[in-house]
Every structure is written in structure tokens, then in C-alpha cells.
Amino acid sequence: MKWKESVKGLKAYQPGKSIEAVKKEFGLSEIVKLASNENPLGCSPKVTAYLENAVHNFALYPDGYGTAMREAVAKHLGVNGDELIFGNGSDELISIVTRALLQPGVNTVMATPTFSQYKLNALIEGAEIREIPLKNRTHDLDAMLDAIDENTAVVWVCSPNNPTGVVIEDAPLQAFLKKVPKDVLVVLDEAYFEYVTNPNCTDSLPLLKQYDNLIIMRTFSKAYGLAAFRVGYGIANKELIARLDPVRGPFNNTVLSQAIVPVAIADQAYIESCREINEAGKKQYIAFCEKHQLDYYPTDTNFILFEVKMDSDVVFQELMSRGYIIRSGNPLGVPNYIRVTIGTKEQNEGLLAQLEEVLQKHGVFA
């Protein structure tokens, strides 16, 4: 077969192990999954109530324009409907951007470590990838600017960054945007926007009026607790959206996905509650790290990346055998650290108790 050179040797995205797979492997009856940054509280009760009574004709294609969903999101954000593009999760939006703008002979700039799908999709399109190491645990925006040249098509900025959780504050972000050439698209990925509490990081939407080369990506998979429904969205000026939209597959959001988004986005009291519970959970992990003198990254997300002072893969395996699924820092580019989704108070307590035993067993601390 005549495979594209760019896909030879590529490895597929490796999701964390499923709950059922871990149960079977270790003979466990209960598993706590704190690996994929899902909302441990689930979705709004109003969404659940809607789904219990929803009636749809599944023989028909969904609305290709997502009218009701589009109107609800536009109203919530205070933007026009033609300034939005929807994807099957943010992953599809990343694919749309790369298909539209990246090809052999052009390059794309991103931080490292950051969300792996930027690089994977760029590789598929055969573009040159310029990875800039983090500086002081955040994007080195000055070095990223230096990496831009006449062949740069896309710059990826993940804030808060995954896997570190660190947000880019307003002042450096705005200074960066002022210097990026107007013919280079800046993708500001804000998948964890609803969890941000840093007072020096405010809503980025007003920046869209200043920069025609900016698109902001957000999702319903995290704080809204709707990961299974796969709805991500991008916000940009209507001309930019119009250029990207032909690359989007038709009917890419299901009937149910389109129906529940207006219900979910209307329940902002639930989002506020999730943010408060997440902040309390974050303090549990910080207290554990400070008690045991373990380094941690300051996070504005629903996960935390922190030091374990030993092989991350060993910690991952031992915690999994005890019924807790987390992420090893090794494949994330941060060895000797683990990334843990912040769960409920009880889930966090259980995980930290098991982690303490594992680290004591391996002599990390007495």
C-alpha cells in the first residue's frame, strides 16, 4: 500500500487503561480512575434528568449546523454564532486546524511537554515541528517567538498546560500575541478554562477583537462532565471560522450531544460547585506534597503533577494493583512525577493513603 511517509512508524494515542480492564487484571471489584482528567462529580443533574426523558429519532442525521447548541454557546459567551466551530471533542478541532494549515514545507511551534495531539497531527500532515522546552514551568513565549519564521503556520499555546497544569497569565500572553506575525495562527487551547482561579488570568475572549489570527479552543469534556459526548468548540472571527469549516466533517456532533449542551451550559451553578470542590481537593494534594517535601506544579486544572522521587511507572503499576488508576509521568515527558486527576474528597484521601504506603515501601520516605 502507498502509505504517506509521514505516518510510517507513528504510534496511536495510548489512552489510560479502562476500569473494566484493571478490574479483570488485578481481580478487583472497585476501581477509582484518576487518570484522564474527567469530572469526578459527573455532569449536571439537569443533563441527567433531560436524558431520562429525551425522545429523538435516531434514524435522522443530526443538525449539520448544530443550531440549538450553537445558539446556546454563543449566548453564554456573548459572541455570534458564526464565530464558533464545533468538533467531536477538541481533538477533532486540532485535526481540523492541522489539515487546513499544515503540510510539508511549513512548520509549527509548540511547547514541550504539552498536549500530545498537537505534535501527532502535525506529523501526519508532514510539517516540521519546533518544540520549545518550558521555562520556569510555563511556556517560554520568548523562545517560541524566536522559533517563528516565514514558514511557520501554527503556534500552539496550551493554557492551562497539559500535563503540567500551569496557566499563562494575561500580561505575558498579551505581549506574545502582539509580536506573533499576522499570518501565523495562534491556537489557544483552554480545555480547563472553567477550573482556572488564578487572579492574573482573566477571560481571553476579548483578545479575539484584537487578533484576527487567534482561535480559542474549549470543551465540554472536563468541568461539564460530558466527556462521553465529545463536544469541543473553537471561537474566532467569522472569516477564520469560515476558512476552517469546510475541513470539518459533516454531522460531526450527535443528536444527543447537541441536545444536552444547552442544558449543561445553562447550569452555571453546577460548574461553580465543581470548581469549589476541585479547589478543596487540590489543597489535599498540596498538603500531602508539602508534608513529604515532594515537588509539585502549581495547577489551575482538575489534575496535579507532582514528584514521587522514584520510577513513575512503578508507582503507576502499584497504585493500579491497589485499585487506583493514575498517569505515570514517564510518557508525559516528566519522569519521577505522576499526574493525578483531582477526585472527590474521599477518592483523594484513598489515593493518598495508598500512595503513602507505596512510597514508604520503596524507601522514598520513612
Side-chain angles (χ1 to χ4, degrees):
M1 295 195 187
K2 300 176 179 65
W3 297 103
K4 291 170 65 173
E5 285 296 322
S6 59
V7 302
K8 291 181 179 179
L10 284 185
K11 294 182 179 180
Y13 176 76
Q14 296 296 317
K17 288 196 174 185
S18 71
I19 290 174
E20 291 307 315
V22 175
K23 281 183 178 180
K24 184 177 180 180
E25 181 178 352
F26 294 100
L28 300 169
S29 58
E30 291 187 18
I31 297 292
V32 176
K33 184 185 176 192
L34 298 174
S36 301
N37 309 333
E38 297 134 330
N39 187 340
L41 306 173
C43 62
S44 163
K46 294 181 180 180
V47 171
T48 304
Y50 172 85
L51 290 171
E52 289 174 349
N53 300 290
V55 177
H56 294 279
N57 185 348
F58 296 118
L60 302 180
Y61 285 108
D63 176 1
Y65 193 62
T67 305
M69 173 174 68
R70 185 178 300 271
E71 289 176 352
V73 174
K75 180 180 179 181
H76 175 68
L77 298 178
V79 301
N80 296 321
D82 57 6
E83 296 174 316
L84 295 168
I85 184 170
F86 290 89
N88 187 255
S90 294
D91 297 286
E92 188 186 23
L93 296 176
I94 295 167
S95 176
I96 288 170
V97 168
T98 56
R99 286 184 67 195
L101 288 158
L102 297 184
Q103 59 187 313
V106 304
N107 67 71
T108 181
V109 177
M110 63 193 70
T112 184
T114 193
F115 188 45
S116 62
Q117 293 301 290
Y118 311 147
K119 182 176 182 178
L120 176 64
N121 280 275
L123 285 170
I124 292 170
E125 300 304 326
E128 178 194 348
I129 296 160
R130 298 182 175 181
E131 296 180 281
I132 308 301
L134 300 178
K135 182 179 181 181
N136 298 325
R137 302 202 159 174
T138 190
H139 284 52
D140 188 347
L141 297 176
D142 289 336
M144 291 176 73
L145 281 169
D146 290 340
I148 296 171
D149 63 19
E150 66 276 7
N151 295 318
T152 304
V154 182
V155 177
W156 305 89
V157 179
C158 189
S159 180
N161 190 32
N162 182 6
T164 63
V166 178
V167 78
I168 300 172
E169 295 185 350
D170 291 349
L173 176 62
Q174 292 177 23
F176 173 76
L177 290 171
K178 287 179 182 178
K179 296 177 182 178
V180 175
K182 301 305 179 186
D183 63 347
V184 175
L185 179 66
V186 177
V187 181
L188 178 58
D189 187 346
E190 296 185 334
Y192 299 91
F193 168 77
E194 289 80 10
Y195 286 113
V196 174
T197 58
N198 186 323
N200 296 317
C201 182
T202 56
D203 193 348
S204 59
L205 290 181
L207 295 173
L208 294 172
K209 296 188 182 301
Q210 298 176 248
Y211 302 101
D212 291 339
N213 61 329
L214 173 66
I215 184 169
I216 298 167
M217 297 195 313
R218 294 179 183 174
T219 183
F220 287 93
S221 294
K222 303 304 179 184
Y224 284 93
L226 299 174
F229 288 92
R230 311 305 298 126
V231 182
Y233 61 98
I235 319 121
N237 68 79
K238 65 180 183 180
E239 289 80 15
L240 198 159
I241 295 296
R243 296 294 294 271
L244 289 174
D245 207 37
V247 186
R248 176 181 62 87
F251 313 117
N252 61 329
N253 294 114
T254 67
V255 169
L256 284 178
S257 298
Q258 294 185 30
I260 62 171
V261 162
V263 179
I265 209 165
D267 193 359
Q268 289 301 307
Y270 180 74
I271 299 301
E272 178 61 30
S273 173
C274 291
R275 183 163 45 243
E276 291 175 359
I277 291 170
N278 185 73
E279 283 299 298
K282 188 189 301 182
K283 291 176 182 177
Q284 290 178 269
Y285 286 95
I286 291 173
F288 178 87
C289 290
E290 292 181 347
K291 172 186 174 182
H292 295 297
Q293 297 183 324
L294 300 173
D295 181 51
Y296 63 91
Y297 283 66
T299 180
D300 269 279
T301 64
N302 67 334
F303 64 84
I304 185 166
L305 181 70
F306 62 96
E307 184 184 30
V308 287
K309 293 185 178 179
M310 60 175 290
D311 188 337
S312 307
D313 287 347
V314 173
V315 175
F316 165 75
Q317 287 291 339
E318 293 216 18
L319 287 176
M320 190 161 52
S321 71
R322 296 164 180 248
Y324 289 88
I325 310 175
I326 54 97
R327 288 296 298 272
S328 166
N330 286 347
L332 302 175
V334 195
N336 300 321
Y337 284 68
I338 58 174
R339 193 193 71 185
V340 181
T341 304
I342 297 168
T344 64
K345 181 176 184 293
E346 294 73 22
Q347 289 172 338
N348 299 332
E349 287 175 347
L351 179 281
L352 290 171
Q354 294 299 323
L355 177 60
E356 190 163 39
E357 289 186 10
V358 170
L359 297 184
Q360 285 175 338
K361 171 184 172 182
H362 288 276
V364 173
F365 45 74

